Amino acid sequence: MLGLDWRSLALAATPFLGYLIIFKYYAYLRELSGMSDIIKPNREVLPWLDQAIFRCLPHRELSTHPNVVLDFLAAVPYLVHFPLPVLFIAYLYFANRRRKHIYPFLWCAGWVNLLAVIVQFLFPTAPPWFTDTARYDELGQFVAAGNNEAGFERLDNLFRIHMFHSIYSASPVKFGAMPSLHVAWPAIILVCRPWISSQFGVFHVLWIAWAAMYSNHHYAIDATAGILLAVLVNVCMMRIYCPFPPVSIFNDEDRPARTPTSRLQSPVLPV
């Protein structure tokens, strides 16, 4: 299939398909399992962790003086987030020597997304825009909160459109602040040998981490967790198991596929 082995591609995409199922049916699965009654979205843990680790709330420090220039700079990596995996796969595909790296990249990205949405399913957490704007009545019942687009509402208002509102209001996961997949995606590309350069890869991760906090979409601990999750999955691919020869910024040469002791065979990749 256009120079790719469909069996290897299907295997590599399996964790990501698991993520898509949980993500799409998030509310239904929480209702069906009773989790929506057992575990309510938490508003206290993330700001407490930020205070404990960083001795402040970085998202508030970074968003104290918003302006239109910073709004645009924050919007760029957020809009690039959606086509980012497709662009990176295209970058790998159109060079024969890199094409085989599509499989471990999809495997790594799939597991990062799957583990992240499982965390969000079992322990939903409110983003800072909700925690900072939520209003409650005298009985403690929720009344209202700001819009899902948070700081990007300023750009919607500036251009008199509802682009960011449409994007975020359509998300089935309303309380999935931690870990941040917006930050995790550039981190996945970074650990899977980034395009352009390692320096640009680091810059991209820091750029979107800043944007996530400046726009009030994420706490600093959310961004940190997204980065650590990408690193953890990549290291597990190298040290524990990966059905494909793993690629990583942490090693200079491609390694053979690692399999568990059950003699599970790696799929044969096309030359």
Side-chain angles (χ1 to χ4, degrees):
M1 187 175 66
L2 300 176
L4 296 173
D5 178 61
W6 70 269
R7 290 172 300 176
S8 298
L9 196 62
L11 176 60
T14 299
F16 195 77
L17 291 176
Y19 156 74
L20 288 177
I21 291 171
I22 298 176
F23 179 79
K24 181 175 179 58
Y25 299 104
Y26 180 88
Y28 174 75
L29 291 173
R30 277 186 58 84
E31 201 63 41
L32 182 66
S33 63
M35 291 295 292
S36 56
D37 296 322
I38 299 171
I39 302 179
K40 300 293 185 182
N42 187 283
R43 296 181 293 111
E44 292 82 22
V45 169
L46 298 184
W48 178 83
L49 285 172
D50 263 16
Q51 287 281 10
I53 296 172
F54 304 104
R55 301 299 180 184
C56 67
L57 293 175
H59 75 280
R60 288 186 181 175
E61 300 294 329
L62 293 173
S63 61
T64 301
H65 303 291
N67 62 67
V68 68
V69 175
L70 293 180
D71 289 346
F72 273 107
L73 288 175
V76 170
Y78 258 72
L79 293 176
V80 171
H81 168 78
F82 300 102
L84 183 62
V86 176
L87 293 174
F88 188 66
I89 289 173
Y91 162 78
L92 296 176
Y93 178 80
F94 287 110
N96 287 335
R97 64 183 179 85
R98 292 194 299 260
R99 193 171 296 169
K100 62 183 178 180
H101 295 166
I102 291 176
Y103 309 113
F105 168 71
L106 284 174
W107 185 259
C108 181
W111 276 109
V112 169
N113 280 261
L114 179 57
L115 292 173
V117 80
I118 288 174
V119 171
Q120 294 163 358
F121 183 87
L122 297 176
F123 186 63
T125 48
W129 65 262
F130 181 90
T131 302
D132 292 348
T133 63
R135 300 193 306 276
Y136 300 86
D137 61 21
E138 60 275 8
L139 300 177
Q141 298 298 311
F142 173 74
V143 175
N147 292 326
N148 293 23
E149 60 270 28
F152 293 126
E153 183 178 19
R154 294 188 294 269
L155 290 179
D156 276 2
N157 292 336
L158 178 65
F159 292 104
R160 298 182 180 180
I161 59 176
H162 301 287
M163 180 177 65
F164 283 102
H165 178 75
S166 299
I167 292 172
Y168 288 100
S169 62
S171 174
V173 182
K174 304 301 183 184
F175 296 98
M178 200 276 293
S180 169
L181 285 175
H182 282 94
V183 178
W185 268 106
I188 294 166
I189 292 175
L190 175 62
V191 298
C192 290
R193 296 203 186 155
W195 49 11
I196 305 177
S197 68
S198 298
Q199 291 79 6
F200 178 81
V202 171
F203 169 75
H204 191 180
V205 171
L206 295 177
W207 186 10
I208 198 164
W210 164 80
M213 290 181 283
Y214 170 79
S215 63
N216 278 333
H217 276 283
H218 287 286
Y219 293 97
I221 192 64
D222 305 338
T224 304
I227 296 170
L228 291 178
L229 182 57
V231 171
L232 175 64
V233 170
N234 188 255
V235 170
C236 287
M237 288 170 59
M238 291 191 297
R239 303 296 183 187
I240 301 175
Y241 172 70
C242 181
F244 313 98
V247 290
S248 175
I249 197 174
F250 302 115
N251 65 291
D252 296 328
E253 301 294 335
D254 294 346
R255 299 188 178 191
R258 283 183 172 267
T259 57
T261 56
S262 59
R263 299 182 181 178
L264 179 64
Q265 296 299 315
S266 303
V268 178
L269 302 184
V271 178

